Amino acid sequence: MLSEFELITRYFAGPAQSAAAGVPGVGSGVVLGPGDDCAVLAPTPGSQLAISVDSSLADVHFPADAPAAAIGHRVLAVALSDLAAMGARARWCVMAITLPEADDAWLAGFAEGFHALCRACEMILVGGDVTRGPLSVSVTVHGEFPAGQALTRGGGKAGDVLAVTGSLGGGRGGLDAWYAGERELDDPLLAAYLLPQPRLAAGEALRGLAHSAIDISDGLLVDLDHLCTASGLGAELEAADLPLSAGLVARLGEAAAREAALCGGDDYELLISLPAAQFETARQRLAAVDVPLTVIGRLRQAPGIAGVDAGLLRNGWRHFPEGAS
């Protein structure tokens, strides 16, 4: 069995990582990478850092028996989605992984999925930790943007239109497909759940246009509520205008598909607010990176979220629901 340090060298700091990330120090901002007590990084002059951590637990955030490569992709993608919501460019990450055992085949698949997304996002894994126990992975991502240009939840203005990237409900539909026994990742719903695509290019393109932004991880209504609270506003949704993921209605039915889009979570799309006059410019910028943008409502001065059944406002993902004991 591999020791902790052999495991790190083979899968996360050795030739596979070098091939995935390029040569540290050559335009990478990595002064000192894996192998020491800390990584040493050099942000781009004139930039500010965005840092976020996301923890994924087996059978809570992903099925423990999902393909290892999909798990490797997913644990990084959900963390990167937070950078996308801030309009940040991905730069570096560190990962702490807890494993029940050092299974070579599983680790090779996990590393393949993780490093492939690193390459796609031009991100470098610069350190981490390995321990033994129930399967879980925590990824801390570092990004940057020009100073003062971060997108935030709290910048919304009354009268802004609300818009979402991509389509909604695919995460919930994919989870349903998994539990129904679907295992082929060419199924668009299953791919949406296990292989979400962080909207990094879209987030960067929206800098200077969007007043506020958040990624949709816990469900549209829950995350819209977060945005409204931070901006001190309410919202009015046009639920009929929600862009539904392909195949969602066929799998769940019309009513359940719309509820999945509102409450299902795991979509990792961006919800933004921006002036109506800027929407077409934003749509064109996102079209250039092959990401659709759809208006679904507006922000308003009056509190609360109108346009949906009040009962749905209590749905969505929460680790610690109100009233739970």
Side-chain angles (χ1 to χ4, degrees):
M1 179 180 291
L2 294 177
S3 71
E4 171 190 351
F5 301 107
E6 291 170 331
L7 187 156
I8 291 171
T9 299
R10 177 175 296 185
Y11 295 109
F12 303 118
Q17 166 59 6
S18 299
V23 181
V26 182
S28 68
V30 180
V31 179
L32 184 63
D36 220 302
D37 288 308
C38 293
V40 180
L41 308 173
T44 302
S47 293
Q48 293 175 321
L49 288 176
I51 301 172
S52 180
V53 62
D54 202 284
S55 294
S56 296
L57 283 69
D59 292 327
V60 175
H61 299 98
F62 59 85
D65 55 346
I71 295 173
H73 173 104
R74 194 179 195 283
V75 298
L76 178 57
V78 301
L80 286 170
S81 187
D82 288 325
L83 293 186
M86 302 290 289
R89 178 168 70 99
R91 297 299 310 275
W92 315 285
C93 63
V94 296
M95 176 179 61
I97 184 168
T98 301
L99 298 165
E101 59 181 342
D103 182 306
D104 273 357
W106 190 93
L107 279 163
F110 177 91
E112 175 188 355
F114 191 95
H115 290 314
L117 187 55
C118 278
R119 288 193 298 271
C121 298
E122 299 182 351
M123 168 170 270
I124 300 174
L125 177 64
V126 294
D129 187 39
V130 176
T131 56
R132 186 169 186 171
L135 178 60
S136 67
V137 188
S138 291
V139 180
T140 300
V141 290
H142 306 70
E144 62 181 22
F145 36 68
Q149 293 189 28
L151 301 178
T152 69
R153 301 177 180 187
K157 302 182 185 303
D160 279 359
V161 297
L162 289 166
V164 293
T165 60
S167 59
L168 302 176
R172 174 64 180 81
L175 183 61
D176 183 88
W178 178 267
Y179 285 124
E182 299 287 346
R183 293 296 183 267
E184 297 300 324
L185 291 180
D186 56 359
D187 179 293
L189 293 177
L190 194 56
Y193 173 63
L194 286 178
L195 300 172
Q197 301 302 313
R199 297 301 194 183
L200 290 161
E204 290 191 69
L206 289 165
R207 290 199 308 247
L209 292 177
H211 283 159
S212 63
I214 188 172
D215 76 314
I216 302 172
S217 55
D218 297 329
L220 173 63
L221 291 181
V222 169
D223 291 313
L224 173 57
D225 183 63
H226 293 327
L227 187 148
C228 287
T229 299
S231 294
L233 298 168
E236 183 168 350
L237 281 181
E238 298 292 341
D241 294 337
L242 298 181
L244 302 182
S245 294
L248 189 64
V249 172
R251 171 161 288 279
L252 300 181
E254 180 75 28
R258 295 207 170 273
E259 183 171 345
L262 288 166
C263 308
D266 274 327
D267 284 323
Y268 302 102
E269 297 291 351
L270 301 184
L271 169 65
I272 67 167
S273 81
L274 74 169
Q278 296 285 6
F279 174 77
E280 183 57 27
T281 299
R283 189 194 66 77
Q284 291 177 9
R285 284 191 188 180
L286 267 59
V289 294
D290 200 28
V291 177
L293 186 66
T294 305
V295 172
I296 61 167
R298 64 181 180 87
L299 291 178
R300 61 178 192 170
Q301 199 67 52
I305 298 174
V308 295
D309 187 309
L312 293 176
L313 299 177
R314 295 189 294 271
N315 293 346
W317 175 256
R318 292 178 175 88
H319 281 281
F320 303 101
E322 293 180 13
S325 59

